[in-house]
């Protein structure tokens, strides 16, 4: 016999509730992952978020976009004293904070263009997440008016154009075009009679600010395109390494030059963006000039509008070059004949990882493994003496490079200047110390810096302190020293006092 059930025993509501809870739980877990991993959220929830946003926007915002790593660390070092005086607790150096931002994904390292014998300069730039965070803070500090007719007009106009262009009925599209033509004819007639009036200055300025606000989101979009292209490139390389058939269709596509990067969603978006920008380049540049001549904008707004097109063009060209370089590197990987060796290495690494996982249950992490690895015929040497081969320097499709020109004579002063860029000029510091001793019979680091400014900034102070520890005596006290950084910013610190009583050999 069947058992009767009451309406409250119906399992369907319970299943729906459980299903809904599951979806909400998944959504919450996804948001928690963003909270922990997305660079924008990581930056905004960091302890020094306010100072970090200001430092990054000041040194990498606007048109600067990227800097060498060392230069960014120096700039942050120069800005830290002002922030400390304002009450921010920033106890570490610029290098520390730059390294932290790199580890958190807030900053992205890039290698500059390379040539034969040139490893390229490593630069650093804001990630797409950092751009989003800075943009978000900017909107909070300078909120947009609650209601603006130009914003609503842009939305309604775009909606109307979308409805017209997406309508499958040709008669409806024709009617819309005829309506637009009639309106345009009426405007032409009013202009011919002299009855048309330009936008009021306030409305024109408001519309210009709306355009700038809309354009402000594009740099973050382009940064995401670069990130997506690099992710797609890694996925293509993984597919190449994992495919093992001699007649693999994907391998054949790469060998024949099929551009899978350009066919990806990010690649198609970039190509369309670049083509539209090039088609509208001259007209848009004229439009910018006309707006600047007729619309009253604040100096910062006028500057942002003036550099809008060049910034977008440079970014589009750079991304196009990046996509082309990734494509050529992928083709070189296939055509060089090294793919079988890469696949074999990947297989061996996988086997080693599987063996390690199998042994993990029985072997403690601190267990000593008595293994002997025979050395090859090549004698070991310092890693610093190796010059890694970079296949990105060569182009398989390019003709053979011309022979290098004969070396040119270099002056001693040029060599000395090159050495001072990477080494502390101890000879100069020794001469400064001895000069002060000859005149005053004794010297300290502060008195030497007072007589001879630090030509290498903090490096000169470090060199003097090293000489003092080697050839001077400690007095037990401290002294204030000051110097100027490479950007002309005065820096001060307190050092243990050392006294030179004899000339430094």
């Amino acid at each position: 016999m069947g058992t009767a059930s009451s309406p409250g025993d119906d399992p369907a509501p319970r299943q729906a509730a459980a299903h809904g809870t599951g979806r909400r739980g998944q959504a919450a877990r996804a948001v928690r992952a963003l909270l922990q991993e997305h660079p924008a959220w990581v930056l905004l929830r960091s302890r020094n978020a306010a100072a970090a946003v200001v430092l990054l926007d000041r040194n990498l915002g606007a048109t600067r976009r990227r800097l060498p790593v060392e230069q960014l660390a120096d700039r942050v070092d120069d800005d830290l004293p002002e922030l400390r005086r304002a009450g921010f607790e920033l106890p570490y150096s610029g290098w520390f904070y730059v390294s932290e931002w790199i580890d958190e994904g807030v900053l992205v390292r890039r290698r500059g263009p390379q040539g034969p014998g040139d490893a390229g300069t490593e630069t650093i730039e804001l990630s797409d997440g950092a751009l989003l965070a800075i943009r978000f803070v900017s909107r909070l500090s300078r909120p947009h008016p609650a209601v603006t007719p130009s914003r609503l007009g842009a939305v309604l106009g775009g909606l109307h154009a979308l409805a017209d262009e997406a309508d499958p009925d040709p008669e409806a599209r024709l009617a819309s075009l005829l309506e637009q033509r009639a309106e345009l004819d009426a405007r032409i007639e009013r202009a011919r009679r002299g009855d048309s009036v330009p936008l009021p200055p306030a409305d024109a300025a408001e519309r210009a600010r709306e355009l700038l606000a809309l354009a402000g989101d594009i740099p973050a979009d382009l940064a995401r395109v670069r990130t997506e292209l690099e992710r797609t490139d890694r996925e293509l390389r993984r597919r190449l390494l994992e495919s093992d058939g001699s007649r693999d269709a994907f391998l054949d596509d790469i060998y024949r030059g099929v551009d899978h990067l350009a066919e990806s969603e990010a690649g198609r978006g970039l190509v369309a963006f670049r083509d539209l920008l090039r088609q509208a380049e001259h007209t848009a540049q004229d439009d910018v000039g006309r707006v600047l001549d007729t619309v009253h904008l604040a100096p910062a707004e006028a500057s942002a509008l003036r550099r809008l097109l060049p910034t977008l063009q440079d970014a589009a060209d750079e991304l196009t070059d990046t996509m082309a370089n990734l494509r050529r590197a992928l083709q070189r990987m296939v055509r060089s004949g090294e793919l079988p060796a890469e696949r074999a290495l990947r297989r061996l690494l996988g086997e080693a990882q599987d063996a390690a996982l199998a042994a993990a249950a029985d072997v403690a992490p601190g267990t000593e493994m008595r293994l002997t690895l025979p050395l090859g015929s090549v004698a070991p040497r310092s890693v610093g003496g190796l010059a890694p081969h970079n296949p990105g320097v060569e182009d398989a499709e390019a003709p053979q490079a011309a022979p290098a020109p004969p070396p040119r004579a270099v002056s001693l002063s040029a060599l000395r200047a090159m050495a001072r860029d990477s080494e502390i000029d101890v000879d100069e510091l020794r001469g400064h110390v001895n000069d002060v001793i000859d005149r005053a019979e004794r010297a300290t680091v502060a008195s030497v810096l007072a007589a001879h400014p630090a030509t290498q900034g903090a490096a000169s102070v470090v060199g003097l302190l090293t000489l003092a520890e080697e050839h001077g005596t400690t007095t037990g006290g401290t002294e204030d020293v000051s110097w100027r950084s490479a950007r002309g910013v005065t820096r001060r610190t307190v050092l243990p006092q050392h006294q030179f009583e004899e000339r430094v050999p």
Side-chain angles (χ1 to χ4, degrees):
M1 293 178 61
T3 302
S5 61
S6 65
D9 294 332
D10 185 4
R14 292 195 299 271
Q15 292 176 359
H19 186 56
T21 303
R23 287 197 299 268
R24 288 191 290 272
Q26 291 176 359
R29 284 194 294 270
V31 173
R32 183 175 60 187
L34 288 175
L35 173 66
Q36 297 171 346
E37 300 173 4
H38 197 283
W41 216 331
V42 169
L43 175 59
L44 291 177
R45 66 192 288 263
S46 63
R47 179 180 180 182
N48 296 311
V53 168
V54 170
L55 289 171
L56 292 173
D57 188 28
R58 167 182 167 81
N59 293 298
L60 287 175
T63 57
R64 187 172 291 115
R65 296 195 303 141
R66 67 174 53 85
L67 285 172
V69 181
E70 298 83 358
Q71 188 174 348
L72 176 60
D74 290 342
R75 287 175 175 270
V76 172
D77 264 332
D78 290 339
D79 293 335
L80 286 177
E82 181 179 352
L83 293 173
R84 290 170 182 149
R85 290 192 297 271
F88 291 92
E89 186 178 349
L90 300 165
Y92 304 111
S93 67
W95 268 108
F96 175 87
Y97 295 113
V98 170
S99 300
E100 187 177 50
W101 293 329
I102 293 173
D103 294 340
E104 293 172 346
V106 174
L107 296 177
V108 180
R109 292 176 182 266
R110 303 287 182 198
R111 179 65 66 179
Q114 301 174 348
D118 179 15
T121 302
E122 185 181 59
T123 60
I124 209 160
E125 63 187 52
L126 295 173
S127 66
D128 59 329
L131 288 167
L132 285 174
I134 294 173
R135 183 75 174 158
F136 174 73
V137 172
S138 175
R139 287 178 174 176
L140 289 180
S141 59
R142 294 188 295 273
H144 196 278
V147 177
T148 57
S150 60
R151 175 169 293 193
L152 179 60
V155 173
L156 296 180
L159 179 63
H160 185 68
L162 175 62
D164 288 343
E165 296 174 9
D167 195 331
D169 185 3
E171 294 296 331
R173 294 198 303 274
L174 177 60
S176 176
L177 291 173
L178 291 174
E179 180 183 352
Q180 294 176 33
R181 186 171 71 178
E183 182 180 355
L184 184 60
D185 289 340
R187 292 175 59 186
I188 292 174
E189 184 61 27
R190 287 196 300 270
R192 183 175 290 131
R193 295 196 308 266
D195 295 339
S196 63
V197 294
L199 276 176
D203 294 345
E206 175 195 320
R207 190 172 298 183
R209 294 188 187 99
E210 288 290 346
L211 293 175
L212 288 174
L214 184 62
D217 294 329
I218 295 180
D221 295 339
L222 294 176
R224 281 194 296 275
V225 168
R226 178 194 284 273
T227 301
E228 184 62 22
L229 286 174
E230 293 173 344
R231 188 200 63 79
T232 303
D233 178 68
R234 290 193 297 269
E235 178 64 21
L236 294 175
R237 289 174 178 272
R238 185 190 62 78
R239 288 181 59 185
L240 278 177
L241 293 176
E242 290 181 352
S243 61
D244 53 4
S246 58
R247 295 301 301 167
D248 183 85
F250 176 65
L251 178 62
D252 290 342
D253 284 348
I254 299 296
Y255 193 85
R256 289 187 289 106
V258 176
D259 194 349
H260 287 272
L261 284 170
E263 294 176 356
S264 66
E265 182 179 356
R268 291 195 301 270
L270 173 60
V271 171
F273 178 89
R274 180 197 60 197
D275 292 344
L276 178 60
L277 187 60
R278 288 180 176 176
Q279 291 172 6
E281 176 181 358
H282 297 295
T283 301
Q285 194 64 47
D286 291 341
D287 292 340
V288 168
R290 293 168 59 194
V291 169
L292 291 175
D293 291 339
T294 57
V295 180
H296 178 68
L297 296 173
E301 295 169 340
S303 177
L305 184 61
R306 188 177 294 108
R307 65 174 182 259
L308 174 62
L309 286 176
T311 300
L312 294 180
Q313 289 164 350
D314 291 344
D317 291 342
E318 181 181 346
L319 279 180
T320 302
D321 292 341
T322 297
M323 186 167 66
N325 291 334
L326 292 175
R327 175 182 58 81
R328 286 195 292 266
L330 201 62
Q331 291 177 349
R332 280 195 296 269
M333 181 180 177
V334 172
R335 296 175 179 177
S336 64
E338 298 177 358
L339 190 57
E342 294 283 349
R343 289 174 174 170
L345 178 60
R346 182 183 179 88
R347 185 177 65 254
L348 292 174
L349 290 174
E351 293 174 356
Q353 290 176 345
D354 292 341
L357 290 174
D362 303 320
V363 180
T367 303
E368 182 179 358
M369 307 296 289
R370 296 185 175 275
L371 298 177
T372 302
L373 297 177
L375 293 177
S377 58
V378 179
R381 54 179 173 156
S382 170
V383 177
L386 299 177
H389 169 67
N390 185 357
V393 174
E394 302 170 359
D395 189 347
E397 302 174 357
Q400 192 69 21
R408 295 179 299 173
V410 180
S411 65
L412 181 60
S413 60
L415 292 175
R416 182 180 178 84
M418 292 173 61
R420 282 173 57 87
D421 288 340
S422 58
E423 300 289 342
I424 297 176
D425 193 342
V426 180
D427 291 339
E428 178 189 66
L429 299 178
R430 187 181 294 111
H432 291 170
V433 172
N434 291 336
D435 176 67
V436 176
I437 290 177
D438 290 342
R439 290 185 293 172
E441 298 184 352
R442 61 186 59 191
T444 64
V445 172
S447 64
V448 173
L449 288 175
H452 302 280
T455 59
Q456 292 182 287
S460 296
V461 180
V462 173
L464 284 173
L465 189 58
T466 302
L467 289 176
E469 290 177 347
E470 293 177 355
H471 304 284
T473 57
T474 304
T475 65
T478 60
E479 61 181 350
D480 295 337
V481 298
S482 63
W483 68 95
R484 287 187 176 274
S485 68
R487 294 174 63 187
V489 178
T490 301
R491 313 296 297 274
R492 290 182 173 84
T493 190
V494 178
L495 297 177
Q497 189 179 60
H498 294 76
Q499 187 166 281
F500 298 95
E501 297 179 351
E502 297 179 353
R503 290 175 60 87
V504 177

